[in-house]
Amino acid sequence: MTETTASVTRPPRGRATVRAVAGTALALAVTIPATAATAATATAQARTAAADPVSVLKFTTKERKDALAYWTPARMKAVGKSVDLGPTGPKAKPWRGTELKTVGRLFFVNASGADTWCTATAVKSANRSAVMTAAHCVRRGSSPHNTNFSMVFVPGYSKGKAPHGAFAVRQAVSPRTWEEDSTNDVSALTVDAGKNGKKLTDTVGSQPIAFNRPVGGTVSSFGYSATRPQLGEELLRCVGTAKKKNGTQAIPCDMSGGSSGGPWLADFNATTGKGVLVSVNSSLDSLTPTRMYGEVLGATAKKVYDRAQQR
């Protein structure tokens, strides 16, 4: 719980995943220029495409009950104090507008056994129970057996308070390409109803989600960054124009670990707190970030979302 090392792997597509461990592992990938895919990678991706394109991680009734018991208010507060990724940068501002009930902290225990968190968003769905986040918040890329557990979504989290309760994650759906090749860093979760029996979006509302939307326009990115003084206790926001970059999209932003999975909301209305989810926080341009990257939500992301919203 006191380790402060960093491990780096280099999966296909020239993306280096950096994990800072200090009682928690808050992973945002660090993007370097892409290189041409090798024939071996192309062949592996073709095999993956022929199989089920999504991977589903399921949690038993007991595991979900235990997760809710594990993530006490005290533990939620403590995990933020276990890591400090430096001062909050000038581009990330504390959100002081309308309460974003749909956005919250996603608490979990990572594959190494450390308490940690990401950011996630309740989205419009057929089952009224779907949440979008990053795939690296569910499992390590290119490592099928290294999955996270004890996952709980707390919408509207702020300074130790869970105003709308906690929702246990029943299943986490991610692209098979992330599991095998560390590509398509997006995941969709399905959560249980809350303690009062109400489904997630009946409780907090939802953000619509867009697929195959052209990259561009002003985007608001939100996240619970592990930078000080907030240390994950407050929601931060970056605003910028989305631009295509290395097969993904990017905006100016200096949030860091903990903001992973946070929503990119286009057409955002600060008065209503509504927008259209067009991506999630995935990767950074450096260890001292100035730019945030997110996937362009296409056919693969749609399959992940559809699987999560139908169960």
Side-chain angles (χ1 to χ4, degrees):
M1 298 297 287
T2 58
E3 184 180 358
T4 56
T5 61
S7 61
V8 181
T9 60
R10 191 178 299 276
R13 205 174 72 172
R15 179 168 290 183
T17 302
V18 178
R19 290 179 174 84
V21 183
T24 185
L26 302 167
L28 271 173
V30 176
T31 299
I32 60 178
T35 58
T38 63
T41 299
T43 300
Q45 291 176 339
R47 287 198 301 267
T48 297
D52 188 344
V54 304
S55 176
V56 182
L57 176 63
K58 296 183 178 181
F59 300 100
T60 66
T61 300
K62 183 179 186 306
E63 286 171 335
R64 279 134 52 195
K65 181 179 179 181
D66 289 347
L68 289 173
Y70 182 80
W71 284 108
T72 63
R75 188 176 291 276
M76 291 179 189
K77 286 277 288 185
V79 69
K81 296 177 181 178
S82 67
V83 64
D84 181 344
L85 297 184
T88 298
K91 295 181 176 66
K93 308 292 186 183
W95 175 245
R96 302 296 187 219
T98 301
E99 181 195 5
L100 294 186
K101 298 179 181 180
T102 56
V103 183
R105 283 176 88 177
L106 177 67
F107 294 96
F108 56 92
V109 179
N110 70 16
S112 298
D115 290 357
T116 185
W117 80 89
C118 278
T119 305
T121 309
V123 293
K124 187 175 293 184
S125 56
N127 59 13
R128 310 194 305 282
S129 303
V131 175
M132 297 301 295
T133 191
H136 73 258
C137 297
V138 172
R139 59 170 71 242
R140 291 179 185 168
S142 305
S143 184
H145 302 296
N146 282 303
T147 58
N148 302 329
F149 55 98
S150 295
M151 304 183 78
V152 170
F153 177 56
V154 183
Y157 182 94
S158 180
K159 298 180 180 179
K161 296 182 180 180
H164 312 291
F167 297 77
V169 175
R170 185 164 73 249
Q171 67 172 11
V173 185
S174 51
R176 189 76 63 181
T177 52
W178 177 260
E179 179 181 310
E180 300 294 340
D181 302 316
S182 297
T183 57
N184 293 307
D185 187 13
V186 63
S187 183
L189 316 177
T190 308
V191 299
D192 285 342
K195 285 186 176 180
N196 60 4
K198 291 182 65 176
K199 291 192 173 184
L200 174 65
T201 64
D202 292 337
T203 302
V204 301
S206 62
Q207 301 286 355
I209 182 170
F211 299 95
N212 300 309
R213 176 170 169 145
V215 174
T218 302
V219 170
S220 289
S221 167
F222 293 90
Y224 290 90
S225 182
T227 48
R228 63 176 183 270
Q230 293 81 19
L231 297 178
E233 288 295 299
E234 294 183 70
L235 190 64
L236 300 180
R237 178 198 187 195
C238 289
V239 180
T241 300
K243 296 182 178 180
K244 291 183 179 179
K245 190 75 172 178
N246 297 333
T248 63
Q249 52 185 321
I251 58 171
C253 188
D254 47 20
M255 287 190 288
S256 192
S259 68
S260 296
W264 289 29
L265 298 178
D267 306 326
F268 181 68
N269 185 317
T271 301
T272 63
K274 293 290 186 179
V276 178
L277 191 145
V278 296
S279 190
V280 298
N281 296 327
S282 173
S283 58
L284 305 171
D285 60 337
S286 68
L287 292 176
T288 305
T290 61
R291 185 182 295 127
M292 180 76 75
Y293 293 85
E295 302 287 355
V296 178
L297 303 185
T300 298
K302 180 65 162 58
K303 289 174 182 176
V304 167
Y305 164 77
D306 282 342
R307 186 71 63 89
Q309 73 160 335
Q310 293 173 358
R311 300 187 179 193

